[in-house]
Amino acid sequence: MTTDAHKETLPFQAEARQLLQLVVHSLYSNREIFLRELISNASDACDKLRFEALSDDALYEGDATLRVRVSCDPETRTITIADNGIGMSRQEVADNIGTIARSGTKRFLEALAQDRSRDLSLIGQFGVGFYSAFVVAERVTLRSRRAGLAPEHGVCWESDGQGEYTLETIEQPARGTEIVLHLRAEMDEFLDPWRLREIVRRHSDNLSLPIEMPVAEGEGESGSWEQVNRGSALWTRPRKEIGDEEYREFYKHVAHDFEDPLAWVHTHVEGSQSYTTLLYVPRRPPFDLWDRERRHGVRLHVRRIFVLEDTAGRLMPNYLRFIRGVVDSDDLPLNVSREILQESRQVDVIRAASVKKVLGRLQEMAQNEPEDYRRFWADYGRALKEGPVEDPANREAIARLLRFHSTHAEGNDGDVSLDDYIARMPEGQDRIWYLTAESRAAALSSPHLEIFRRRNIEVLLLWDRIDEWMLTGLSEYAGKALASVARGELDPDTLGGEDDAAAKAEKPDEAAGEELLKRMHEVLREDVEAVRPSRRLAESASCLVVEQDDISLGLRRMLQSAGQDMPTRLPVLEVNTAHPLVDLLRAADETEFSALSRLLYEQALLAEGGQLPDPAGFVKRLNSLLLGGRGRERGDVPA
């Protein structure tokens, strides 16, 4: 590295070099996207100046007309994109341009590694859209000065996208940023002004900021500029005047996405409060969907002026954090802050109405566009499951959108709705039955399902970790209580469904087994609250259940793993007194009885996804059973 007072040459960090190699050598199928990304960055810089100038008008430096200018020079083989926005100081250039090995870069590289088909199309989402310039340029020069700083505090950044870049302090009379792209030999198409105009109109036509290009030769005064985009905020126009393609292109700008959105909803409200919303569902999950420190959200405008990006989830609840778009209020103050947002009743109204519109659009998709909704659920279902707990006011609407696997559709993709379930309920059934498990395999083989299979009663199968949490906020739907097949005592006669001799579970002789179960409880009293005869088992020997008012075993394990202290509440062991293993118990001596009782408890614990307290002891007890008691004679079977 060489340095002096004003200029230094710095190496790119490892991740930055990796990113630039991908960009420079990419077989990028849509190279023109570089212009959209650079114009979008310029537009953001102007928005930031407009916002900061609300409290410091001097930042305009006598020029409050914000714009982006695009030009090309065939002789020097350059394209220039310039804005008179907020600009950057030397430190900001170093932080935002020079050092790009940040979380955004890392996640972008990880996303490309996972799905090469995505190419570089999502580069803007990761905060590194500037580097799309190297798709077409062999060298990039950036000059900038931050508004409010003196001209001698300008900065120049330059790189060929290889191993290093230079950073130099320069004299820069005008605030803002100018980017000069020195094009590669094979990029002649972008030296045509009409080609650039066509790209601007396709991708950036609906930016509210004017995008200017030099007046074409022979069509006006030499050296003058003309606006080439429509320059009106798309969301302010009546819906009937906006075509689907315009909606799609605006989404690509606001979400920094290359793909079309999956759906959108556009509303305009007037009255005691006036506002407009244009909200989109991305076709693919945003890269920060599961990032607790996410940087993207719905953009808040006040009277068409961009104010901030709602990354804190004030305008859209956390379970809808994938929504992108714009909220534009006519009533909020221009100097609105994140703190003001937290306490604003006006924002509460906008949020409530926006959520209802989004949920309504999703329900419309589920009814009329089933393939699109199936895709939506696969990508966003886990996030939506957070809704019943987070948003009780919309619990019913969210529940209508949920999809499940079930015992009546074991081979499907998990697209059973609660309405589907209720429509199939047999006569006499008054509850929506569900089972939570550690995995799909554990759910399908759970002993808790046996009586329900006999009676042909459908059970919803849930094995995602979020499901346990979701159910704490979803106790009923459409007047039907949701009930766990593994909670409380079960009376088959109250289940409904088939009730013939082949389907009806035999009622155990509780009196005959009472003494046996008491003895078992004496052996297992440190592990279970009680041992009782089971009316839910038909084939298995035992299962664990919790009482009706207790939390499930799975949720208990999940909360404990998260470090939460849980009150001691032992489960109940239910035993199928007609099972052959119970006959062995009746004939066993004290040592065998203790070993078999513990074995019945341990296999029930395993079926619930629990961990054995003594795996080695379990193996020895099981081996003894397989050996028909000979293991005990050798003295290697624990009680």
Side-chain angles (χ1 to χ4, degrees):
M1 179 178 74
T2 61
T3 64
D4 57 38
H6 300 288
K7 185 174 182 178
E8 55 185 340
T9 301
L10 301 166
F12 282 117
Q13 294 173 317
E15 288 179 343
R17 287 197 300 272
Q18 185 181 354
L19 171 62
L20 287 166
Q21 285 294 308
L22 281 170
V23 173
V24 171
H25 300 290
S26 171
L27 299 176
Y28 197 32
S29 59
N30 197 10
R31 292 168 173 164
E32 67 185 41
I33 216 68
F34 79 92
L35 191 57
R36 185 197 73 185
E37 290 298 330
L38 296 180
I39 289 176
S40 182
N41 289 347
S43 174
D44 289 345
C46 290
D47 283 338
K48 289 176 183 176
L49 174 61
R50 186 183 286 118
F51 181 63
E52 290 193 20
L54 292 173
S55 55
D56 185 2
D57 189 70
L59 292 175
Y60 280 129
E61 301 179 7
D63 179 12
T65 304
L66 302 178
R67 61 187 174 271
V68 178
R69 286 181 167 174
V70 178
S71 60
C72 64
D73 186 341
E75 291 187 7
T76 60
R77 297 186 53 77
T78 60
I79 296 175
T80 301
I81 300 96
D83 67 74
N84 61 346
I86 193 65
M88 290 179 283
S89 66
R90 182 178 179 124
Q91 188 60 51
E92 286 172 323
V93 171
D95 292 342
N96 299 323
I97 305 294
T99 306
I100 67 170
R102 301 170 299 172
S103 59
T105 309
K106 183 176 181 180
R107 291 186 184 127
F108 179 65
L109 295 172
E110 289 172 350
L112 282 183
Q114 293 169 5
D115 186 357
R116 297 291 302 186
S117 66
R118 301 182 82 166
D119 204 358
L120 300 178
S121 59
L122 299 185
I123 190 168
Q125 280 194 28
F126 294 82
V128 289
F130 169 79
Y131 291 90
S132 63
F134 287 100
V135 169
V136 297
E138 62 183 9
R139 180 163 53 93
V140 176
T141 304
L142 177 146
R143 300 182 184 89
S144 188
R145 176 172 68 79
R146 200 181 204 287
L149 296 181
E152 61 268 23
H153 292 293
V155 60
C156 177
W157 179 99
E158 188 168 69
S159 177
D160 60 5
Q162 300 301 314
E164 59 188 26
Y165 61 92
T166 63
L167 200 59
E168 181 180 8
T169 299
I170 62 171
E171 184 86 9
Q172 184 75 358
R175 70 161 194 270
T177 301
E178 176 186 84
I179 300 171
V180 180
L181 311 182
H182 305 266
L183 298 187
R184 298 188 208 169
E186 66 273 22
M187 299 297 168
D188 287 353
E189 64 173 294
F190 299 114
L191 292 172
D192 179 355
W194 293 105
R195 173 79 168 107
L196 296 180
R197 286 170 182 249
E198 182 256 336
I199 295 171
V200 169
R201 287 170 178 154
R202 180 184 309 141
H203 295 298
S204 307
D205 194 48
N206 285 295
L207 289 186
S208 57
L209 195 75
I211 303 170
E212 300 177 350
M213 291 187 66
V215 172
E217 187 175 347
E219 295 187 6
E221 182 181 347
S222 177
S224 61
W225 298 77
E226 63 177 341
Q227 183 171 328
V228 295
N229 68 321
R230 188 172 309 195
S232 62
L234 178 78
W235 64 87
T236 64
R237 294 162 50 195
R239 284 178 294 178
K240 62 183 180 180
E241 295 180 6
I242 307 173
D244 287 354
E245 191 57 35
E246 291 180 281
Y247 276 121
R248 295 186 185 105
E249 286 302 326
F250 182 73
Y251 163 76
K252 293 171 184 177
H253 159 69
V254 77
H256 293 279
D257 198 349
F258 177 67
E259 293 187 277
D260 291 337
L262 189 62
W264 62 85
V265 58
H266 185 189
T267 62
H268 181 68
V269 176
E270 292 183 340
S272 59
Q273 192 168 341
S274 298
Y275 60 89
T276 300
T277 63
L278 176 51
L279 304 171
Y280 292 91
V281 179
R283 185 165 295 273
R284 300 200 198 208
F287 78 98
D288 57 354
L289 182 61
W290 305 108
D291 183 1
R292 292 182 178 274
E293 298 179 358
R294 60 194 176 92
R295 297 176 298 151
H296 293 74
V298 173
R299 293 166 62 93
L300 175 63
H301 292 245
V302 175
R303 296 187 289 281
R304 269 63 68 196
I305 296 175
F306 172 72
V307 174
L308 54 83
E309 190 158 19
D310 179 37
T311 57
R314 187 66 180 96
L315 294 171
M316 197 58 58
N318 197 51
Y319 71 95
L320 294 177
R321 57 188 173 275
F322 50 84
I323 296 295
R324 299 290 184 261
V326 170
V327 170
D328 189 354
S329 170
D330 289 340
D331 305 306
L332 288 171
L334 275 170
N335 62 347
V336 66
S337 65
R338 297 187 189 278
E339 290 72 29
I340 292 175
L341 283 182
Q342 292 299 323
E343 301 173 358
S344 172
R345 294 185 62 184
Q346 292 172 308
V347 172
D348 289 338
V349 171
I350 294 173
R351 172 186 166 120
S354 298
V355 169
K356 289 185 182 299
K357 285 293 183 180
V358 169
L359 295 178
R361 178 65 184 92
L362 293 176
Q363 182 59 33
E364 179 184 296
M365 189 195 305
Q367 292 174 341
N368 303 326
E369 306 149 52
E371 287 303 317
D372 282 348
Y373 191 77
R374 193 169 288 114
R375 176 173 188 160
F376 166 83
W377 180 254
D379 288 337
Y380 301 108
R382 287 183 61 207
L384 204 62
K385 287 178 180 180
E386 300 169 15
V389 176
E390 182 184 350
D391 189 5
N394 290 298
R395 183 178 293 143
E396 190 93 353
I398 298 167
R400 190 175 297 115
L401 295 168
L402 301 176
R403 297 295 182 265
F404 304 89
H405 294 263
S406 88
T407 53
H408 280 30
E410 294 173 9
N412 72 1
D413 295 326
D415 58 358
V416 175
S417 70
L418 292 176
D419 288 325
D420 294 334
Y421 182 98
I422 290 173
R424 292 197 287 260
M425 286 172 56
E427 184 178 353
Q429 182 181 345
D430 60 357
R431 284 170 284 185
I432 299 171
W433 292 101
Y434 68 85
L435 168 73
T436 58
E438 295 290 319
S439 66
R440 177 189 178 94
L444 291 173
S445 61
S446 172
H448 295 290
L449 296 176
E450 291 173 4
I451 186 60
F452 293 89
R453 290 192 191 278
R454 278 199 173 191
R455 287 184 171 269
N456 197 31
I457 293 175
E458 186 171 12
V459 178
L460 301 178
L461 305 176
L462 300 90
W463 55 79
D464 197 329
R465 286 181 64 85
I466 190 64
D467 291 334
E468 294 275 10
W469 176 247
M470 173 191 71
L471 290 166
T472 64
L474 188 62
S475 58
E476 68 172 20
Y477 174 75
K480 305 287 185 183
L482 271 73
S484 170
V485 299
R487 181 177 280 124
E489 290 195 68
L490 195 66
D491 183 357
D493 296 333
T494 66
L495 294 180
E498 298 178 8
D499 196 27
D500 55 34
K504 189 173 182 179
E506 291 293 334
K507 186 174 181 179
D509 185 347
E510 296 181 8
E514 184 177 349
E515 185 61 34
L516 183 77
L517 300 183
K518 284 183 178 179
R519 290 177 61 198
M520 289 183 68
H521 187 223
E522 287 298 319
V523 174
L524 301 170
R525 64 171 52 255
E526 293 185 2
D527 301 300
V528 298
E529 183 70 26
V531 180
R532 68 187 179 209
S534 178
R535 303 190 65 190
R536 52 172 39 92
L537 297 176
E539 300 170 0
S540 300
S542 60
C543 67
L544 289 175
V545 300
V546 297
E547 297 295 12
Q548 196 64 45
D549 60 346
D550 200 4
I551 65 173
S552 71
L553 296 175
L555 181 57
R556 179 180 292 273
R557 285 194 294 270
M558 186 172 70
L559 294 175
Q560 286 174 334
S561 67
Q564 293 194 29
D565 292 331
M566 300 297 298
T568 301
R569 190 79 179 266
L570 298 177
V572 172
L573 179 66
E574 287 195 353
V575 177
N576 179 2
T577 55
H579 196 277
L581 283 178
V582 179
D583 291 336
L584 290 179
L585 277 168
R586 292 188 174 98
D589 60 26
E590 285 302 316
T591 302
E592 290 172 329
F593 186 91
S594 178
L596 281 170
S597 296
R598 189 152 296 282
L599 192 62
L600 286 175
Y601 163 72
E602 289 168 331
Q603 69 178 24
L605 182 61
L606 285 174
E608 288 294 322
Q611 293 185 340
L612 296 176
D614 180 15
F618 168 77
V619 171
K620 288 182 178 181
R621 281 184 284 274
L622 182 60
N623 287 344
S624 175
L625 181 63
L626 293 174
L627 291 169
R630 285 174 289 175
R632 187 177 65 82
E633 293 171 4
R634 295 199 304 269
D636 59 359
V637 180

